[in-house]
Amino acid sequence: MSNDPLLQPFQLKHLTLRNRIIVTAHEPAYPEDGMPKGRYRAYHVERAKGGVAMTMTAGSAAVSKDSPPVFNNLLVYKDEVVPWMKDLTDAVHEQGAAVMIQLTHLGRRTRWDKEFWLPVVSPSHRREAAHRAFPKKMEDWDIERIIKDYADAAERMKAGGMDGIELQAYGHLMDQFWSPLTNELDGPYGGSLDNRLRFAFDVLGEIRNRVGPDFIVGVRYTGDEMLDGGLSEDDGLEISRRLRDSGLVDFLNVVRGHIDTDAGLTDVIPIQGMANSPHLDFAGEVREATGFPTFHAAKIPDVATARHAIAAGKVDMVGMTRAHMTDPHLVRKIVEKREDDIRPCVGANYCLDRIYQGGSAYCIHNAATGRELTMPQTIAKAEVRKKVVIVGTGPAGLEAARVAGERGHDVVVFEAASEPGGQVRLTAQSPRRREMIGIIDWRMSQCEKLGVVFHFDTWAEAETVQAENPDVVVVATGGLPHTEVLAEGNELVVSAWDIISGDAKPGDKVLIFDDAGDHAGLQAAEILADAGAEVEIMSPDRSFAPEVMGMNLVPYMRSLQKQDVTFTVTFRLTAVEREGGQLIAHVGSDYGGVAKQRMVDQVIINHGTIPLDELYFDLKPHSSNHGEMSHDQLIVGEPQSVVRNPQGSFQLFRIGDAVAARNTHAAIFDALRLLKDV
Amino acid sequence: MKILVSVKRVIDANLRPRVKADGSGVELSNVKMAMNPFDEIAVEEAIRLKEAGVASEVVAVSIGPDKAQETLRAALAMGADRAILVRTDEEVQPLDVAKVLKGVTEEEQPELVMLGKQAIDDDANQTGQMLAGLLGWAQGTFASKVELVDGKATVTREVDTGLQVVELRLPAIVTTDLRLNEPRYTSLPNIMKAKKKPLEQKAPADYGIEIRPRLKVLRTEEPQGRKAGVKVGAVAELVDKLRNEAGVL
């Protein structure tokens, strides 16, 4: 048996967990009608196959009708969830992993304008900033029915064959009772710590009455709200001891912080550019103070840190949740001593941010995650070996190269730059985005193992490509910044790329017109502000940087607000003209009737990219399909078979931003779904 | 003022080189090649001197096969104005490099020639010094700082005992060390601009040079693998081992 601390089994009451790595609760928003159907099951089964010890399903499965999901969570207040849960549980067990579920009542952390239009409830009228609902202050019958709802839901989960449950108590109803900041009740459920904890223990007691002693019950809770007047670390340690001493729970799963704002949430679940494992030592203090099984997750993206967490006795089970979005086979690769092959989580947090904005979680650079029913996590070999020529080593080109290499094809890649990465390398120039380069580095090391041949510093022309006698050509040449959006003065502006790359020196008084709303605009703003410029970011949208999304915005705001960067929404830059050494920026509005001016010395435009498609159009007439991609075949997952030119000697495909300006995930998904069938 | 910068195409410094099965050298087929990192520093410094208004033109030169054009294009994308490839398929050793560069220098008449202090493939660290000798020019090697004022170059050199500052009368040779600068990120728009910059092809014979290797590689071996360490129980044991086993105390 291995002596790797991560691979030692752990005995949790009657349950043996096969190693020390777990996927903690997170709702990827894959339920259908609130039920864990095929897609949901396939997602968890894939992680079980990959070797994880336990997967905690359902972030925040709703126990009550007045706890409606804000995106798309499991509805465990319905009896019909039981058979679905049973199917999932059986399938996960078959792969040797344990499976539990997180139950909750969201309290004020939701909205009332959902399915049943019931008022949101909390132990006070205080509103949560993130979800904006003004709650009803709970009365006795609210408390009674919700205690019953929890117990009913726990019973359903036991009937579904699950190994256990965990109750959520950070930012949800349970700890809204705990925290003096959100509990204004008198009497038995408000006031002293004893009273504020009463709701939780009533819930736990009722659950135990229903499920008996042989069902595992844990609590995932904040051990320190890190808010003035909120639960302190001392409170957290006291709560930890009381949970242990209650005899009602089997494990503690501790987090630190508060989640009532985007900023708070991001400190609890840090993203790229922020410190790794910031709360691990704190989790260690909880374990030391209680001597009780302790679980913890918070930006532990790498195996070395996870191993340290176990070896140093910080925790009993280490959560690598986002790391498993990126590589569901992480544990298997540790077992097989192939840690170098683990696809690294780069902390882009596309998964989490997208739940709110796009409806379901996807990994920025694993397009198979959340698509397990149609996309392979392990690429099968092709029956026929083909010559595949790829142009471009951005995320699209490199994913195409990797997948084609895994298919066993003879793969040749051309790149104009000296280094791979395309726009990912550009974005990684900013220190807070540096981890992004993991997307490229991992693919390069995989491609090297697969024997993919690269030609750097090579501007591929049609003849360069044709000289390779390819069967398939993939043009992934990306794009160039598109700045020609003004009625006049396009020649007077620079792009956000010019600032990030260092090609343009920062001005003193700068207007950034950003209607792409992605990272580039904010990165440029940060570089400019750091260089001492007075910066205004202008967007014609109702909010700025909409593509950056909630948690990703947090570090930017912390930097930009301090530097007095100003944000102007609902205005549009229309033209720029030179006057003396200055520039006059003419500003209008899509709402009409406005003509303003700004005097600045630099204007930056962030308007996405325009495809670099010359090579594609040069190759098009020589290809058998004239570049046409059958969308139906692409969606169904069949090989492309369009023939428009029988004389053509190769199939030609264009992917990523070479088609239209999109994002990293889109580029990688383009490549995966096309090449998996080549 | 014109600056000539020489660049060499070498195995990417980030890769772990593999020795060929027959021990005749390092495996270079299907291996990522890149500009010698010390040469990249030289190019960067030359471009910075141009951006500062000290230099007027930066010319990059490389000696090697057609593929060396890729490395010159990289130098052009960084900001060099034009490039010269002295084309040869022969193995070119430091003395021949220096002789060819002498020819290029006499034709181009730069006031400063910048080279990396050594190439990371053969680590010879000879070319700059040989070129200075052949031209009879002053040399400032292992530069960590270069200032050009009034027809003179003040070069801070990294030497074993610390830093040494030398003043050179121009024209001169400067070889660049690691800490001189951090080469820039090369943007796609600049790579596109570099496509249109002139790249002239020459042959060693144009300078009256016949490439003739004088050194013969007898054997190439990989370094021995690192041996497993031992854990010591106490400071005294560590000191004992350092003194009696490692012999370093």
Side-chain angles (χ1 to χ4, degrees), chain B residues 124-233:
Chain B
N125 178 15
Q126 294 169 350
T127 306
Q129 294 88 331
M130 285 176 170
L131 177 60
L134 291 173
L135 286 166
W137 287 11
Q139 58 178 303
T141 52
F142 316 131
S144 65
K145 192 174 174 194
V146 178
E147 287 172 301
L148 296 178
V149 185
D150 299 334
K152 285 179 183 152
T154 308
V155 176
T156 305
R157 305 180 62 227
E158 297 203 355
V159 294
D160 285 348
T161 48
L163 298 178
Q164 183 189 51
V165 181
V166 295
E167 193 177 85
L168 317 175
R169 211 174 37 246
L170 297 181
I173 308 290
V174 168
T175 76
T176 54
D177 213 327
L178 197 62
R179 277 162 286 271
L180 179 59
N181 60 49
E182 201 171 309
R184 68 193 57 200
Y185 166 84
T186 307
S187 68
L188 186 57
N190 280 336
I191 292 167
M192 295 182 73
K193 278 182 210 151
K195 276 173 63 187
K196 299 198 180 75
K197 291 182 179 176
L199 195 161
E200 194 183 353
Q201 285 231 18
K202 295 276 199 176
D206 296 341
Y207 305 102
I209 313 288
E210 188 195 341
I211 303 293
R212 192 163 58 82
R214 291 162 177 78
L215 308 171
K216 196 174 148 199
V217 174
L218 300 179
R219 201 168 65 247
T220 308
E221 287 172 6
E222 298 216 10
Q224 286 201 332
R226 186 175 170 273
K227 287 194 189 118
V230 289
K231 270 191 184 166
V232 293

Side-chain angles (χ1 to χ4, degrees), chain A residues 416-420 422 425-426 429 448 453 455-459 461 479-481 497 501 503 612, chain B residues 12 14-15 18 30-34 51 67 70-71 73-74 185-192 195:
Chain A
S418 304
E419 299 294 334
R425 183 163 296 272
L426 179 74
Q429 297 301 304
E448 197 194 337
V453 176
H455 298 283
F456 288 94
D457 293 311
T458 304
W459 192 276
E461 309 283 358
L480 281 169
W497 282 28
S501 68
D503 286 350
L612 202 55
Chain B
D12 189 312
N14 298 307
L15 300 181
R18 288 188 311 269
N30 288 349
V31 166
K32 183 176 185 297
M33 304 293 280
E51 285 169 349
K67 282 278 188 189
E70 295 170 4
T71 311
R73 287 285 170 208
Y185 166 84
T186 307
S187 68
L188 186 57
N190 280 336
I191 292 167
M192 295 182 73
K195 276 173 63 187

Side-chain angles (χ1 to χ4, degrees), chain B residues 39-79:
Chain B
D39 296 344
E40 207 179 353
I41 292 168
V43 174
E44 176 66 33
E45 193 66 16
I47 295 164
R48 288 188 189 186
L49 287 167
K50 191 186 166 195
E51 285 169 349
V54 177
S56 53
E57 190 184 22
V58 176
V59 181
V61 57
S62 190
I63 304 159
D66 283 335
K67 282 278 188 189
Q69 286 185 50
E70 295 170 4
T71 311
L72 286 169
R73 287 285 170 208
L76 293 171
M78 284 177 74

